[in-house]
Amino acid sequence: MIANVRLQVFALLLFLSCVAIVFARWAELTSSEHGLRRDTLAALGLRAEQLAGAVAREVDSDLRAVDLALQDLRHDYLTERGPDFLRSLAVAKDALGKDSFTGFLVTDPQGRIRFSSLGGLPSDADLSGRDYFRAFAAGGPDRMILGHPVEGRFTQGWVIPVTRPILDGGRFAGVAAIGMRPEFFAMHLEDIGLKGDDVVAIVHADGSYLARSTDMAQALGRTLPADRPFLRAGAADRGSVSLEAYVDGRRRTFGWRRLRDRPVVVVVGLDERDVLAPVDDANRRARVRSILGNGLVLALGLAGALLLLRIARQQKALQQSEERLRAVLNTVNEGIAVSDRDARIILANPAAEKILGWGPGQIQGTGPRTEGWDPVHADGTPFLPGAHPQVVTLATGQPQHDVIMGLRRPDGRRIWIQIDTEPLILPGETEPYAVVGSFTDVTGRLETARKVGLMASVFANTTEGVFIADAAGRILEVNEAFSALTGLAATEAVGRDWGVLDGTLPVEARFVRRMAEALAAEGTWREEVPMQGGTLLLTASAVRDDAGRPTTYVGLLADVSHLKENEQRLHHMAHFDALTGLPNRLLLKDRLDQALARAERAGEVFAVCFLDLDGFKEVNDRLGHEAGDLLLKEVAVRLHGVLRHADTVARMGGDEFVILLLGLEWPGDADAILGRVMHAMAEPYDIQGARVDHISASIGVACFPQDATDSTRLMQCADMAMYAAKRAGRHCIRRYDAAG
C-alpha cells in the first residue's frame, strides 16, 4: 500500500512536474514568439523609414526642380513675352517631362487668367478663390506653394498646382503657376525595390494624397484621417508605425519622412505578411509540436527529449529570423550598429564596417571608449565619455538625431559621421537593453561646406568688385566692393541681365556688347571702362563644363583711376615745361613731325619761328631769378593770347621759345601773326610791382618747303635767322636767307 501510495505520489509529483515544465516552456514559447514578431517588425519599420528617406530626397529634388523652372518661367514671361519666352516654356516642359508638365499660366491681381499655355480657357476664368491666390494676395512672401491635386477641366486629369506670386516693385501683381501631374512625383516610387503589396505614398501635410505607387486613381481626391501619427500636430519628422492602410485596408508597417521646409510627407508601407509569414509559420509549427510533445511529457525522459528538441527548433527559428534581419541590414547604405548596455557593438552591417574602416567582424566589441577613435565634436573639442550619443540613449532612453562626430579610422584618417540612435526597450521596462545607431559619412559634405565658407569670405572681403553671371548673362551674385565701385546695389543687379552695367553710361562708352562677343569667341575679356566718374579695369572670364560649354561668367572690377591720373601727370611732366606750362622740346619735336607729315600730304606751307627775348638778362641781374621766372610766365600767357588755336608755342630753355605757324598759304602769311607777337612782347610788364619796359623779341623764321624739308634743318635755319635778327640790332624779324 505504502509503496503504491508512494508510486502514486511519485507519479503525481512527476506528472505535476511535467505539467509545470510544459506550462513553463509554453510561456517561454509565447514570449519568444512575441519578441520575434516585435524585432522583425522593428527591423521592417527601420527599413520602411530608410526607404521613405530615400524617396523624400528624390521628391525634394523634384520640388526644387519644379520651383526653379517656375521662377525661370515667371522671370522670362515678365521680361520677354515673345518667341524667346515660348522657347523657355518648351525647355521647361522638356526638362520636367512632357507627360508630367500640363501647362503654365499667369493671372492678374484680380485672379483673372492673362496667359495660359493650355489654350481654350474661357475669358472669364477666375482663380481668385484658390487658397494659394488668397495667400499671396494677402501679402504672403515670395515662396513656392504646393497645392492640392485638382481634377482639371482642360487638362483631362488630376493636376497639382505649383505657384509663386508675381511682384511689381514689392506689390502683388498676380500669380504664376505650373501644373504638374501626380505621375511626375510618382515616377520614383516604383524604383526603390518594392514588392507584393508594398506601397509608397506622397501626402500633403493636411493628409491629402499627392501621389501613390498603387491605386492612385482611388487615392487622389481623398484625405487621410488626421489621427495618423505622421499627420498629428507636433509629429516627429520621421518614424514608423504599424496600422491598416486607408485606401485598401491592408495591414502594413509604415515608415515616414517629412520634407524640411515643405508641406510634404513621404510614407512607405511594407506588407507585414511577407516578413511575418515565415515567423508565424515557424511559431505555428512549434506550437503543434509542443502540443504533441505535451502528451508524451508524462514520461520524464521523453519530456526532456521533446523539450530539448523544441528548444533546438526554436533556436533555429531565431537564427533564421536573425539571418533575415541581417539580410535587411546588409541592403542599406547607411551604417547600422547595435550596442549592448555597456555601449559595446554586438552587431554591425557591412556599411558600418566600411565607413569606420574596420574589416569584417573586427568592429564587434568596440565602442565609444575604444582607444584610437578620438571622437571629437564638429568644433574639434573632444567628446566626453558620457556625451556619446549611444551612451546618452542608454542612460536616458531618448533617441539622438543628427549628431556630428569626428572619428579616427584604424588607417589614421579622420572622418566625420552623422549619427542617429534609437533605444531598444522591452515591454514593461523603462531602461533600454540595447541601442541601434545609424550613421552616414559626411566628410565630403563638411569639407565642401568649409571650402564654400572660405570662398564666400574671400568673395565678401576682397577689395575688387566681383560679379558672377549665368550662361545667359543674368547676374547671379555680387559682392559689396562691386556695389561700391559701380553704384549698383545687390538688389539692383542680381537677377538682371549684365546689360545693367551699361545703364548709366552714354551710348559711346557702353561696353557690355563687346564684352559678351569677346567672351563667346575667346572666353576672356579685359578693358578699362568709365564708371562712377572714374576708370575701372574690368576682367571677365568664362567657366566651362567638361564639354567646353560656358556655364557661368566671372567678372573682376578694379579701380585704376589713380593709375590713370599718375600716367597723365607723368605725361605732362615729360612733355611740358614745368615753369610756363608750354610744350617742351620733346613735345615740340613730335608736333613738328606731325606738321611735316600733314604738310607733305596736303601741300601746305608752315613756318618755324625761333624767338629770343631781348633784355631778359638785365631783369635777372637787377630783380633776381624769381622775377625772371614771373616774366617768362607772362611771356607764355601773351604768346598764347596772340597766336591762333592751331599754332604751337614751346619753351626751349632760358628765354628761348619756338613758334609753329601752321596752315599758311605762302610764307608771307606769317608776317601779320609775328607782328602781333612783336607788339605783345614789347608791351611793359608789371613784375612784383616793378615796371619793366625794355623787353623785346628777336625772331628768326624758316618756312617749309622753301627753306628746308626736314625738322632738324628747319630748326637750324630758324635758329640762324634768329641770330641774324640779333646782329641786326634786335627787336626785329628775319627770314632765313641761304645766301647769308
Side-chain angles (χ1 to χ4, degrees), residues 78 81 91 103 161 285 311 327 332 344 416 420 454 478 494 550 687:
L78 295 175
R81 298 196 185 185
V91 169
R285 290 197 302 269
I311 293 174
V332 299
R344 292 191 300 266
W416 295 91
D420 296 326
L454 178 60
V478 300
V494 173
I687 306 299

Side-chain angles (χ1 to χ4, degrees), residues 556-576:
L556 299 178
L557 288 161
D559 189 353
V560 295
S561 300
H562 62 289
L563 298 178
K564 303 299 291 184
E565 293 173 357
N566 290 339
E567 289 179 1
Q568 292 174 356
R569 284 196 294 270
L570 291 174
H571 181 273
H572 190 274
M573 291 172 62
H575 294 85
F576 291 88

Side-chain angles (χ1 to χ4, degrees), residues 371-711:
E371 184 178 355
W373 279 27
D374 301 331
V376 295
H377 291 277
D379 60 1
T381 58
F383 260 91
L384 297 177
H388 194 284
Q390 288 174 297
V391 176
V392 172
T393 298
L394 286 169
T396 64
Q398 298 298 317
Q400 304 293 303
H401 297 300
D402 299 329
V403 179
I404 300 297
M405 176 186 291
L407 292 176
R408 186 79 63 185
R409 287 164 45 115
D411 59 10
R413 186 167 68 90
R414 172 77 71 184
I415 64 169
W416 295 91
I417 59 176
Q418 182 173 320
I419 307 174
D420 296 326
T421 61
E422 293 287 342
L424 297 179
I425 303 175
L426 292 173
E429 297 187 6
T430 58
E431 295 183 359
Y433 68 89
V435 60
V436 177
S438 63
F439 52 90
T440 56
D441 188 346
V442 295
T443 305
R445 189 181 75 191
L446 292 183
E447 290 177 353
T448 300
R450 290 191 182 100
K451 291 179 181 179
V452 170
L454 178 60
M455 293 174 64
S457 177
V458 172
F459 179 80
N461 296 302
T462 181
T463 57
E464 291 186 323
V466 182
F467 70 87
I468 301 173
D470 63 14
R474 184 170 55 254
I475 297 177
L476 304 176
E477 191 65 56
V478 300
N479 64 354
E480 292 184 3
F482 172 90
S483 299
L485 291 173
T486 64
L488 292 170
T491 54
E492 298 175 296
V494 173
R496 300 184 62 186
D497 185 272
W498 56 16
V500 70
L501 297 172
D502 277 343
T504 60
L505 301 179
V507 174
E508 64 275 7
R510 294 177 180 174
F511 61 88
V512 169
R513 182 175 180 180
R514 297 196 310 277
M515 179 180 71
E517 292 173 350
L519 289 174
E522 303 174 10
T524 60
W525 185 78
R526 180 185 177 91
E527 188 174 305
E528 293 179 358
V529 298
M531 198 167 292
Q532 289 285 95
T535 302
L536 303 181
L537 177 61
L538 174 53
T539 304
S541 301
V543 179
R544 302 181 184 275
D545 59 16
D546 294 339
R549 296 184 296 268
T551 59
T552 53
Y553 297 98
V554 178
L556 299 178
L557 288 161
D559 189 353
V560 295
S561 300
H562 62 289
L563 298 178
K564 303 299 291 184
E565 293 173 357
N566 290 339
E567 289 179 1
Q568 292 174 356
R569 284 196 294 270
L570 291 174
H571 181 273
H572 190 274
M573 291 172 62
H575 294 85
F576 291 88
D577 177 54
L579 177 63
T580 63
L582 295 176
N584 60 12
R585 188 185 301 269
L586 181 63
L587 184 55
L588 174 66
K589 176 65 167 58
D590 181 67
R591 292 190 179 179
L592 180 54
D593 289 341
Q594 293 181 25
L596 279 169
R598 185 169 58 251
E600 288 176 348
R601 289 194 306 269
E604 295 179 350
V605 175
F606 70 90
V608 178
C609 310
F610 247 93
L611 182 151
D612 186 84
L613 294 178
D614 303 324
F616 177 72
K617 185 175 182 303
E618 288 83 347
V619 174
N620 272 342
D621 293 343
R622 182 165 58 88
L623 301 178
H625 289 287
E626 183 178 352
D629 289 345
L630 293 175
L631 176 63
L632 291 174
K633 290 181 180 181
E634 179 62 23
V635 167
V637 172
R638 293 187 182 187
L639 288 174
H640 265 302
V642 298
L643 293 177
R644 300 168 302 172
H645 178 72
D647 299 331
T648 296
V649 57
R651 183 186 177 209
M652 301 296 289
D655 60 345
E656 290 186 345
F657 299 84
V658 172
I659 302 170
L660 295 183
L661 301 178
L662 306 179
L664 305 177
E665 293 186 2
W666 68 292
D669 289 344
D671 295 344
I673 302 171
L674 294 177
R676 294 196 300 272
V677 171
M678 293 291 289
H679 178 73
M681 296 298 99
E683 287 289 318
Y685 297 84
D686 183 1
I687 306 299
Q688 294 179 328
R691 178 183 174 87
V692 177
D693 55 6
H694 63 278
I695 298 298
S696 62
S698 297
I699 301 176
V701 182
C703 293
F704 172 89
Q706 289 81 2
D707 299 326
T709 58
D710 65 85
S711 59

